[in-house]
Amino acid sequence: MSIPMDLIPITPENIDKIAEHLRKTQEFDWQYLKTHDVTAFDNSIIRKLKSHSPMLYTNGRQRESVATAIYVSYQGINYLLTAGHVFDKSLCCKDIYIEPGFRLSEIKNGIIYYPKDEKNNFREMDCAVFLVNDVVKSKLDEQFEPFPISVENKGIARIFTWYFLLGYPVKKNTANRYKAGSLEGKYLCLHAPVKFDACDIKSFDADVNIALSYQPKKAILTEKIKENQQHTVCDLSGMSGCGIWNVPEYPIMTTGMTTSSYSLEGLFANHYPEGHALIGFNIHDIIGLIEYTTEQFYQDGKSGILKSLTLPPTPSGSVIGHSESVQTRSECPRFRPISNCKTTD
């Protein structure tokens, strides 16, 4: 159960106090889950998270998931977010479909921010931001609804005890496309605690990243939490780009789920087995990226799907999504200047 301290901005002076408080809360959560049936609440959470999470997939000889997306709205504009590394040299927008069944290339504007070749450099932005036009919106809205991101999330660093991830692993979503069957993705919903010792992971940056504790043979599946506390799950390939969500009242039952009952806290990008961690990017950084991307198309007149190599934070610690204005971001970007981008195929 989350408490007011969960919403206090984290500083070097109070992080130890917050961590200790949240550890005690985490222990309470476990005890509550062991003695109460939260199945109805879990099912409600899954339905809500799924309503914001389209599957991205290829549709060649086999229909196979490649990533998970997050359908969001911010300041009156709709966006589709996912991980940038999905769009490597062998895979471009025209090769990818969006659930419920149209090509990603129908989206005309967006920027794919992808990391350099250095492995496990978690500070480098790994995110794709697509602007959803009216035609694509009408198709997405048949099955999904955009999650409204609040501008208030931009200026506060938050830490919670538990998080949810819902995505579409490849091993659960590989099928012969000629066989009859539903196009709806088969999801995996994980319930994972915050990783308190994440700062021990090389290149992890608490100002940029969010880390959850995770071991494949001891995973907590949301829909099976009462059957057994831990399960062995499949490889997480295909989960990249999914949302990192918090439900503040969990596991205490509440009456009904609305978009004010839960929050998008980040975007999942990497499974780091050596550190037993799932690592993504904080929502305030994602918001900064959304704002910068929107500026390129609405103010600077860019068009098309662009790609940009990302850079690690500057030595001063300045990162997108913190207190800098859009104008100052261009002086110390987390990614290469937009003039260096190129339109994808």
Side-chain angles (χ1 to χ4, degrees):
M1 180 177 66
S2 289
I3 42 187
M5 185 171 285
D6 286 358
L7 298 176
I8 295 176
I10 305 165
T11 66
E13 291 74 28
N14 68 14
I15 188 170
D16 290 338
K17 181 179 178 181
I18 290 178
E20 179 59 28
H21 190 81
L22 292 181
R23 282 193 184 95
K24 292 179 180 179
T25 306
Q26 197 173 94
E27 291 173 3
F28 167 80
D29 288 343
W30 275 113
Q31 292 301 319
Y32 191 94
L33 291 172
K34 289 178 181 178
T35 56
H36 293 74
D37 186 356
V38 295
T39 303
F41 198 8
D42 289 340
N43 290 338
S44 181
I45 291 170
I46 289 171
R47 284 194 299 273
K48 283 296 183 181
L49 301 190
K50 199 171 185 301
S51 72
H52 312 303
S53 307
M55 179 178 70
L56 303 185
Y57 62 95
T58 56
N59 203 26
R61 295 182 65 86
Q62 291 193 127
R63 176 177 173 273
E64 180 177 280
S65 67
V66 293
T68 303
I70 319 169
Y71 184 29
V72 303
S73 64
Y74 180 68
Q75 296 188 321
I77 302 174
N78 291 345
Y79 302 87
L80 204 66
L81 311 175
T82 191
H85 70 255
V86 173
F87 305 90
D88 60 16
K89 295 179 180 179
S90 62
L91 199 61
C92 59
C93 294
K94 67 181 180 182
D95 301 320
I96 297 176
Y97 289 77
I98 309 172
E99 186 184 10
F102 59 94
R103 289 182 186 272
L104 184 59
S105 55
E106 290 190 35
I107 296 179
K108 303 303 181 184
N109 293 320
I111 302 178
I112 299 167
Y113 304 90
Y114 60 102
K116 295 166 66 178
D117 293 335
E118 184 179 348
K119 187 178 181 181
N120 295 330
N121 188 344
F122 303 118
R123 291 171 294 184
E124 292 187 359
M125 184 55 70
D126 183 356
C127 179
V129 180
F130 299 101
L131 282 71
V132 174
N133 56 43
D134 290 341
V135 174
V136 171
K137 178 182 182 301
S138 65
K139 294 181 179 181
L140 282 172
D141 289 353
E142 293 177 5
Q143 189 171 329
F144 301 96
E145 59 180 300
F147 179 81
I149 299 177
S150 171
V151 70
E152 295 176 357
N153 293 125
K154 180 180 175 182
I156 185 171
R158 308 194 294 189
I159 184 171
F160 294 95
T161 312
W162 290 98
Y163 294 86
F164 291 86
L165 291 86
L166 186 145
Y168 305 95
V170 173
K171 289 190 177 180
K172 290 174 70 73
N173 292 280
T174 300
N176 187 323
R177 71 186 182 105
Y178 299 105
K179 291 184 179 179
S182 171
L183 285 176
E184 186 174 348
K186 296 179 180 178
Y187 68 85
L188 177 68
C189 189
L190 296 174
H191 190 47
V194 65
K195 188 172 180 61
F196 289 107
D197 58 350
C199 289
D200 295 337
I201 298 174
K202 183 180 178 181
S203 86
F204 178 88
D205 188 333
D207 285 334
V208 176
N209 300 124
I210 182 171
L212 311 181
S213 182
Y214 173 76
Q215 296 185 47
K217 294 185 178 180
K218 297 181 179 180
I220 305 169
L221 303 185
T222 304
E223 70 270 29
K224 297 182 179 180
I225 202 165
K226 293 304 295 182
E227 296 177 16
N228 188 345
Q229 291 294 345
Q230 297 174 330
H231 297 261
T232 299
V233 301
C234 62
D235 182 80
L236 296 187
S237 296
M239 295 279 285
S240 294
C242 76
I244 299 175
W245 306 86
N246 176 257
V247 184
E249 296 300 321
Y250 193 85
I252 307 300
M253 287 292 292
T254 60
T255 56
M257 287 279 291
T258 67
T259 52
S260 61
S261 305
Y262 54 103
S263 59
L264 179 62
E265 297 297 327
L267 181 145
F268 168 60
N270 291 281
H271 174 203
Y272 182 52
E274 294 88 342
H276 305 295
L278 305 178
I279 299 178
F281 296 93
N282 280 310
I283 187 62
H284 55 68
D285 236 28
I286 299 298
I287 291 174
L289 208 60
I290 288 173
E291 290 180 342
Y292 184 87
T293 301
T294 305
E295 180 187 63
Q296 302 308 306
F297 295 100
Y298 282 86
Q299 296 182 28
D300 295 352
K302 298 290 192 301
S303 64
I305 303 300
L306 310 176
K307 296 186 77 171
S308 174
L309 278 173
T310 61
L311 296 175
T314 60
S316 63
S318 298
V319 294
I320 290 178
H322 286 203
S323 59
E324 300 89 345
S325 66
V326 173
Q327 287 75 23
T328 58
R329 282 189 205 117
S330 62
E331 299 170 5
C332 53
R334 284 274 315 287
F335 41 88
R336 297 189 187 281
I338 205 70
S339 58
N340 289 352
C341 293
K342 61 180 181 179
T343 304
T344 63
D345 295 332

